[in-house]
C-alpha cells in the first residue's frame, strides 16, 4: 500500500511550479490540478499488486492525453515493455514505457515529463 499523502506532497512541494491543487479522491486515487487547466490522475490497484496508471488529461485544452499504465490490453501485446505502455498524446498512439515501477519515483518521472511538455 502506498502513502497517498506522499503523492500529494511530491506534487505540491516538488512540482509547485506546475501544480495548482491536489485532491485525494480515494485511498488509491489522487487528482493533480495543473495551473494551465489540465489535470493528472494517479491510480493504483488495491487488488492487483503493481497495477497503476498516471494519466494526464488535456482534452479540454488540445484534445490530448498522456498515460503510462500497465493494464494488459491485448491490443498492446506487441509493445516491447508489455504490459507497461505509454499513450503518447492519443489513446491509440502507444509506445514502450520505461517509467519506474516504484510509484513515488514513477510519479516524479511523470511530473518531470509534464513540466517539460508545458515549457515547450
Amino acid at each position: 500500500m502506498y502513502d497517498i499523502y506522499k503523492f500529494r506532497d511530491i506534487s505540491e512541494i516538488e512540482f509547485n511550479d506546475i501544480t495548482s491543487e491536489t485532491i485525494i479522491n480515494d485511498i488509491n486515487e489522487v487528482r493533480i490540478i495543473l495551473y494551465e487547466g489540465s489535470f493528472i490522475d494517479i491510480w493504483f490497484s488495491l487488488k492487483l499488486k503493481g497495477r497503476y496508471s498516471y494519466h494526464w488529461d488535456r482534452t479540454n485544452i488540445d484534445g490530448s492525453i498522456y498515460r503510462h499504465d500497465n493494464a494488459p490490453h491485448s491490443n498492446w501485446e506487441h509493445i516491447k515493455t508489455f504490459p507497461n505502455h505509454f499513450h503518447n498524446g492519443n489513446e491509440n498512439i502507444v509506445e514502450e514505457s520505461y517509467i519506474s515501477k516504484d510509484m513515488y519515483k514513477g510519479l516524479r518521472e511523470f511530473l518531470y515529463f509534464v513540466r517539460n511538455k508545458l515549457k515547450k
Side-chain angles (χ1 to χ4, degrees):
M1 180 70 103
Y2 291 95
D3 179 355
I4 206 87
Y5 296 99
K6 187 167 182 175
F7 293 125
R8 180 196 62 198
D9 291 347
I10 290 168
S11 67
E12 290 184 353
I13 296 168
E14 296 178 36
F15 295 87
N16 65 352
D17 58 316
I18 60 171
T19 302
S20 171
E21 176 183 15
T22 305
I23 302 164
I24 297 174
N25 291 327
D26 206 340
I27 61 172
N28 64 330
E29 295 178 24
V30 175
R31 175 165 284 184
I32 301 168
I33 309 297
L34 303 178
Y35 281 120
E36 47 78 74
S38 65
F39 64 89
I40 298 169
D41 284 334
I42 303 152
W43 171 86
F44 61 92
S45 177
L46 297 175
K47 295 179 182 178
L48 301 170
K49 186 177 179 173
R51 185 72 52 90
Y52 69 89
S53 174
Y54 303 95
H55 176 89
W56 181 20
D57 194 307
R58 294 179 46 86
T59 54
N60 65 329
I61 294 173
D62 63 7
S64 64
I65 64 100
Y66 300 89
R67 182 174 63 248
H68 285 274
D69 71 82
N70 63 355
H73 301 297
S74 60
N75 294 1
W76 316 130
E77 288 179 339
H78 67 282
I79 301 295
K80 184 178 176 182
T81 58
F82 181 83
N84 300 304
H85 58 278
F86 174 57
H87 299 264
N88 192 359
N90 181 297
E91 287 288 342
N92 297 315
I93 300 172
V94 178
E95 303 172 356
E96 297 170 357
S97 173
Y98 293 99
I99 201 162
S100 176
K101 289 180 173 53
D102 176 281
M103 289 288 294
Y104 306 123
K105 186 175 180 183
L107 174 59
R108 286 181 177 99
E109 292 170 357
F110 193 64
L111 289 171
Y112 280 120
F113 165 79
V114 170
R115 180 187 278 158
N116 289 333
K117 283 292 252 189
L118 290 174
K119 286 182 180 179
K120 292 181 180 179

